[in-house]
Amino acid sequence: MSSSSTLTAKPSITAIVAATQSNGIGLNGGLPWKLPGEMKYFARVTTGESPSTDPTQQNTVIMGRKTWESIPPKFRPLKNRRNLVISSKGVDVSTAPNTSSHPSIPSALSSLPTSPSPSRTFLIGGSQLYTTCITSTPPMVDRILLTRILEPAYECDAFLEDFTSHTSQDGKEVWKKASHAELEGWLGFKVDEENEEKGTRYRFEMWVLDQ
Ligand SMILES: NC(=O)c1ccc[n+]([C@@H]2O[C@H](COP(=O)([O-])OP(=O)(O)OC[C@H]3O[C@@H](n4cnc5c(N)ncnc54)[C@H](OP(=O)(O)O)[C@@H]3O)[C@@H](O)[C@H]2O)c1
């Protein structure tokens, strides 16, 4: 790859989200459910299997200001990951290690390591950021790790764009569901496809841009 194409390469960004069958993702500024096993999956995937000891080489998580505020202070910044917070007003992250605040999505993207990079970048919410990044043309994310909450039907007031039904101008589906084997191949570890925690059933899925 030439140095100019390296500099202009579009960053590969994976959205990671848990959503009900009605695409509900949040309630009252927080998550509608408490699923420790699902949280462990999120942490393992976004951190990567062997995070670098050099913070600048770690995976990146990008989030909106409200999602940042929804994380209990003792758990933020998300450890062993670069945390990028997007806010037009700015967020005081001066005491948070490996964390920066950005006034716009392009500003955050310009701080990502240039491709090719061994680290991965994840968009971790919330509703506003997912919508912007999934509905742009072309989408700013090229992969979506979806935890589909099958039951119960949790009450929600924040929603994920219904990306699975998006079609292009020629009527083709924009997103294609990968097989579970493809998901495990990308993750680099095995995981049960269907899971149950305290009466909540959910399924790990991976969707990729069909291009
Ligand atoms: N189920 C899941 O996987 C999941 C994951 C994450 C979050 N959530 C839930 O989602 C809900 C929060 O979602 P939300 O939509 O209310 O908030 P959000 O997307 O986390 O944050 C919205 C804020 O981010 C900033 N922002 C967003 N887009 C921007 C842009 N293009 N340029 C500049 N700033 C921008 C703005 O901050 P300023 O107002 O400061 O400008 C905006 O008010 C919560 O209930 C949370 O628990 C669920």
Side-chain angles (χ1 to χ4, degrees):
M1 190 182 276
S2 74
S3 60
S4 62
S5 61
T6 303
L7 285 172
T8 55
K10 192 169 158 287
S12 175
I13 303 175
T14 296
I16 181 164
V17 57
T20 67
Q21 308 225 53
S22 311
N23 291 311
I25 64 165
L27 180 68
N28 299 327
L31 294 176
W33 44 77
K34 200 165 188 292
L35 300 171
E38 206 281 326
M39 290 294 279
K40 269 193 193 145
Y41 173 79
F42 169 86
R44 186 174 182 187
V45 173
T46 56
T47 306
E49 290 296 74
S50 45
S52 170
T53 50
D54 174 355
T56 65
Q57 301 298 312
Q58 294 174 350
N59 286 349
T60 300
V61 288
I62 304 176
M63 72 198 92
R65 190 253 308 161
K66 292 183 184 173
T67 293
W68 167 261
E69 288 174 350
S70 77
I71 302 170
K74 66 177 174 181
F75 293 124
R76 72 184 195 219
L78 298 181
K79 68 175 182 198
N80 293 325
R81 286 151 281 184
R82 299 172 68 220
N83 287 234
L84 308 189
V85 186
I86 301 187
S87 165
S88 59
K89 301 181 290 210
V91 174
D92 182 5
V93 290
S94 53
T95 58
N98 212 11
T99 304
S100 51
S101 168
H102 299 266
S104 67
I105 297 171
S107 149
L109 300 189
S110 68
S111 81
L112 293 177
T114 46
S115 296
S117 162
S119 66
R120 286 176 166 171
T121 299
F122 295 89
L123 176 70
I124 65 163
S127 176
Q128 199 177 322
L129 267 204
Y130 289 135
T131 301
T132 304
C133 296
I134 290 172
T135 61
S136 65
T137 309
M140 287 183 227
V141 296
D142 52 26
R143 185 180 307 272
I144 300 176
L145 298 182
L146 171 66
T147 300
R148 183 63 88 186
I149 309 281
L150 303 169
E151 60 177 12
Y154 285 94
E155 181 197 354
C156 294
D157 61 12
F159 292 88
L160 176 69
E161 175 69 24
D162 184 18
F163 70 91
T164 64
S165 64
H166 284 185
T167 51
S168 58
Q169 281 184 336
D170 55 7
K172 272 187 58 194
E173 286 179 353
V174 175
W175 293 93
K176 184 178 82 172
K177 189 174 165 203
S179 68
H180 190 67
E182 287 170 318
L183 166 63
E184 290 183 327
W186 191 81
L187 294 174
F189 61 84
K190 295 248 176 237
V191 67
D192 288 339
E193 185 170 9
E194 297 242 354
N195 299 271
E196 176 159 4
E197 279 189 81
K198 294 178 285 178
T200 296
R201 282 201 316 116
Y202 58 87
R203 183 172 59 223
F204 292 129
E205 299 179 359
M206 179 167 79
W207 293 75
V208 290
L209 270 184
D210 194 9
Q211 52 192 359

